[in-house]
């Protein structure tokens, strides 16, 4: 029976840093690797480089107090101090929709160049079917160049961490999926995760290909639910139904439930768009039937349309030329409790409104720095405020793009009294249209509050 206590994690993004810190909190000796020297120096002080609830406290405990977590820029040092190495680097979407594996391939080659004892190499990054085979070949090729014959195993262990609650998801996983082609290695991985799964048996062992496909399948099906309810919400607008009432009734069916079934301005982030596109690319490469491709492509097709729905509503009610108009914008990130703006619907909204001559007063509790420096840095007419109500000053309407907690029960009298006209465009359906009407606020949500087609 294999037993492991020393872990290396290559990559200190959302997945790598949370995983490394969580293993260290359980008493494992963990060393994390990243080529970004400034990031490593910050982490060595126990300061998180990403926003995740609870991460700061874990780093303070594991780095400063217990000293079970360390950081380095050198992969050779990390390999010498580990029995298991997790590859947790980025797999960005390529131009053709496929997952770009160049960073995974680079790490695999470096492992082969530097390993000096048997290792289990774990693909933790979200990767397509066949990646473990590629990683295995890359390591073996480098070992051959060195004339070395060192035993190693490559397993797949996809992550299922949601941004904003990644620490909690790691501590109390809904499932731990591991794919391995060796029974003893699979058992060793089960023991490695035992501190996280003791209360609930959530370990699912399978072959490598099955594990690689599981992550894509999970994100595809979740994306399908989001786009599915948004398709229904659009029908509700056409036929005069309230999408939330329809959704609540549908969700009462225990076979369906209410998870990921909220009419909205669409999904974003680093996972759903990238993984759905990668799955489509894999299917095309495998030559699957057009009928299968059609359903695999459906979530992204609808989601790309849905990201423009809030701007469509603005234009419908205020006109195509928005010169001289100012909009208060609450929410820049792709969802609440994160600073991540990747594929956020707010980017589409800001570009559309700005392109029509509008000015925007933007507020987000976490993502404004990301907007300033990266995602909206070249957009004219946008300014940022430090208080959500300051965004209302001089604005013609309020636009809401995330479901952030502080937006759920705001001061509606202040909103109505500060806006030039009491008008809300809500991409998250946070409020009740009837209640807004009683307050004298014109309210337009997703699948509600619009003039409808007469049958």
């Amino acid at each position: 029976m294999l037993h492991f206590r020393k872990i290396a994690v290559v990559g200190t993004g959302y997945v790598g840093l949370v995983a490394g810190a969580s293993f260290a909190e359980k008493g494992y000796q963990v060393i994390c690797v990243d080529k970004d020297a400034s990031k490593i120096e910050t982490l060595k002080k126990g300061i998180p480089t990403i926003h995740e609830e609870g991460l700061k406290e874990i780093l303070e405990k594991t780095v400063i107090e217990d000293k079970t977590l360390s950081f380095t820029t050198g992969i050779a040092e990390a390999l010498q101090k580990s029995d298991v190495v997790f590859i947790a680097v980025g797999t960005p979407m390529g131009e053709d929709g496929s997952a770009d594996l160049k960073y995974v391939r680079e790490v695999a080659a470096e492992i082969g160049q530097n390993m000096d004892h048997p290792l289990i190499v774990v693909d933790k990054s979200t990767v397509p079917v066949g990646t473990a085979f590629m990683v295995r070949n890359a390591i073996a090729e480098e070992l051959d160049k060195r004339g070395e014959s060192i035993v190693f195993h490559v397993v797949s262990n996809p992550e299922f961490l949601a941004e904003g609650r990644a620490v909690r998801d790691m501590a109390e996983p809904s499932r731990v999926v591991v794919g391995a082609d060796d029974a003893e290695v699979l058992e060793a991985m089960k023991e490695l995760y035992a501190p996280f799964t003791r209360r609930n048996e959530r370990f699912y062992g399978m072959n490598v290909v099955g594990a690689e496909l599981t992550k894509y399948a999970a994100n595809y099906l979740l994306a399908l639910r989001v786009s599915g309810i948004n398709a229904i919400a659009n029908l509700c607008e056409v036929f005069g139904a309230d999408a939330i009432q329809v959704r609540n009734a549908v969700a009462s069916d225990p076979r369906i439930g209410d998870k990921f079934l909220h009419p909205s301005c669409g999904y974003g982030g680093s996972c759903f768009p990238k993984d759905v596109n990668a799955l489509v690319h894999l299917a095309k490469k495998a030559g699957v039937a057009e009928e299968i491709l059609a359903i695999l492509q459906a979530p992204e097709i609808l989601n790309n349309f849905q990201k423009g729905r809030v701007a469509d509503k603005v234009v419908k009610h205020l006109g195509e030329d928005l010169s001289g108009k100012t909009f208060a914008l609450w929410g820049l990130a792709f969802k609440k409790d994160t600073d991540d703006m990747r594929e956020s619907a707010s980017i589409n909204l800001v570009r559309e409104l700005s392109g029509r001559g509008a000015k925007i007063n933007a507020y987000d509790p976490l993502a404004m720095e990301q907007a300033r420096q990266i995602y909206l840095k070249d957009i004219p007419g946008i300014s940022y405020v430090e208080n959500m109500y300051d965004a209302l000053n001089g604005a013609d309407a309020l636009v809401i793009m995330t479901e952030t907690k502080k937006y759920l029960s705001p001061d509606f009298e202040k909103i109505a009294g500060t806006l030039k006209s009491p008008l809300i465009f809500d991409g998250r359906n946070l409020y009740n249209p009837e209640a807004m009407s009683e307050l004298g606020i014109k309210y337009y949500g997703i699948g509600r509050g619009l003039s409808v087609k007469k049958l």
Side-chain angles (χ1 to χ4, degrees):
M1 176 67 181
L2 301 172
H3 298 278
F4 302 114
R5 299 300 303 170
K6 297 181 292 182
I7 297 170
V9 180
V10 185
T12 58
Y14 280 95
V15 176
L17 185 55
V18 170
S22 298
F23 275 116
E25 187 183 31
K26 297 298 184 182
Y28 292 102
Q29 199 65 43
V30 181
I31 181 167
C32 290
V33 187
D34 201 292
K35 290 183 177 180
D36 187 333
S38 62
K39 180 190 285 190
I40 290 299
E41 288 306 309
T42 300
L43 291 169
K44 283 181 176 179
K45 299 172 186 175
I47 301 171
T49 51
I50 58 172
H51 178 83
E52 276 297 332
E53 185 179 351
L55 182 59
K56 182 176 183 290
E57 292 75 14
I58 294 179
L59 289 182
E60 288 175 352
K61 182 177 186 297
T62 57
V63 177
I64 308 301
E65 297 174 19
D66 299 344
K67 301 189 186 305
T68 51
L69 179 60
S70 60
F71 299 92
T72 182
T73 56
I75 193 169
E77 175 190 353
L79 295 178
Q80 289 170 2
K81 297 178 178 180
S82 63
D83 304 305
V84 180
V85 54
F86 286 84
I87 300 177
V89 293
T91 54
M93 184 166 61
E95 292 183 4
D96 61 357
S98 65
D100 188 342
L101 300 177
K102 64 182 178 182
Y103 301 119
V104 174
R105 191 176 290 107
E106 286 175 7
V107 173
E110 289 184 67
I111 291 172
Q113 292 161 6
N114 292 281
M115 64 184 292
D116 60 5
H117 62 277
L119 288 173
I120 291 182
V121 179
V122 184
D123 286 336
K124 193 68 174 169
S125 304
T126 300
V127 294
V129 173
T131 301
F133 183 74
M134 180 270 287
V135 168
R136 187 181 298 117
N137 283 350
I139 295 172
E141 184 178 330
E142 295 301 326
L143 287 173
D144 287 343
K145 289 179 184 177
R146 295 167 52 196
E148 295 283 359
S149 179
I150 304 172
V151 175
F152 70 94
H153 298 273
V154 179
V155 305
S156 177
N157 172 219
E159 54 85 14
F160 296 95
L161 309 178
E163 288 184 36
R165 62 167 195 263
V167 170
R168 186 165 72 250
D169 285 347
M170 185 71 188
E172 300 174 1
S174 60
R175 71 281 206 196
V176 174
V177 175
V178 175
D181 296 327
D182 182 284
E184 189 176 14
V185 170
L186 194 62
E187 194 61 33
M189 290 296 295
K190 185 175 183 179
E191 183 182 342
L192 192 73
Y193 272 103
F196 302 94
T197 59
R198 281 199 179 101
R199 280 190 291 179
N200 295 298
E201 182 51 58
R202 298 290 179 86
F203 187 91
Y204 297 92
M206 58 190 72
N207 66 17
V208 170
V209 172
E212 289 174 334
L213 193 55
T214 296
K215 177 58 185 289
Y216 281 137
N219 279 348
Y220 162 74
L221 290 170
L222 292 174
L224 186 61
R225 283 178 67 89
V226 175
S227 286
I229 196 61
N230 281 334
I232 297 300
N234 281 287
L235 286 179
C236 288
E237 289 187 9
V238 171
F239 296 124
D242 186 307
I244 297 302
Q245 293 175 349
V246 172
R247 174 260 182 196
N248 289 344
V250 169
S252 67
D253 186 329
R255 297 170 302 174
I256 298 173
D258 63 356
K259 302 298 184 185
F260 287 83
L261 211 66
H262 304 278
S264 70
C265 53
Y267 59 75
S270 65
C271 293
F272 285 9
K274 176 172 68 73
D275 292 355
V276 172
N277 279 305
L279 190 62
V280 169
H281 178 81
L282 279 173
K284 287 180 178 179
K285 194 173 179 181
V288 303
E290 288 296 323
E291 292 82 357
I292 297 173
L293 274 179
I295 191 66
L296 292 177
Q297 291 169 326
E300 269 293 278
I301 291 172
L302 194 286
N303 194 61
N304 289 333
F305 168 80
Q306 198 68 15
K307 284 181 178 181
R309 292 297 289 130
V310 176
D312 289 346
K313 294 172 189 294
V314 171
V315 171
K316 178 180 176 67
H317 291 275
L318 298 179
E320 296 198 5
D321 184 0
L322 299 176
S323 300
K325 299 288 186 184
T326 298
F327 294 88
L329 172 59
W330 288 357
L332 293 166
F334 82 93
K335 68 173 186 177
K336 66 177 181 178
D337 299 334
T338 182
D339 63 351
D340 193 347
M341 284 187 63
R342 284 174 290 183
E343 301 289 337
S344 172
S346 67
I347 299 172
N348 301 61
L349 174 86
V350 170
R351 285 176 177 166
E352 184 67 22
L353 299 188
S354 175
R356 293 179 179 275
K359 292 183 179 179
I360 295 137
N361 301 331
Y363 171 78
D364 189 289
L366 298 172
M368 290 197 291
E369 199 60 28
Q370 292 284 317
R372 282 193 192 99
Q373 295 192 11
I374 303 172
Y375 296 98
L376 302 176
K377 65 178 182 179
D378 297 323
I379 303 295
I382 184 168
S383 58
Y384 302 91
V385 297
E386 296 302 320
N387 181 288
M388 60 191 261
Y389 293 108
D390 289 344
L392 304 172
N393 295 330
D396 296 275
L398 168 62
V399 183
I400 301 172
M401 296 298 281
T402 64
E403 68 280 30
T404 300
K405 189 175 182 179
K406 63 171 66 179
Y407 306 158
L408 299 183
S409 185
D411 186 335
F412 290 110
E413 289 187 3
K414 191 169 189 175
I415 292 172
T418 307
L419 291 173
K420 290 181 182 178
S421 57
L423 179 59
I424 295 177
F425 296 96
D426 185 358
R428 295 293 176 175
N429 282 332
L430 301 185
Y431 314 132
N432 182 285
E434 287 74 24
M436 294 297 97
S437 180
E438 290 175 6
L439 291 168
I441 297 174
K442 292 182 179 179
Y443 178 76
Y444 302 104
I446 300 295
R448 24 185 3 197
L450 281 167
S451 57
V452 299
K453 179 180 179 180
K454 301 298 182 183
L455 296 178

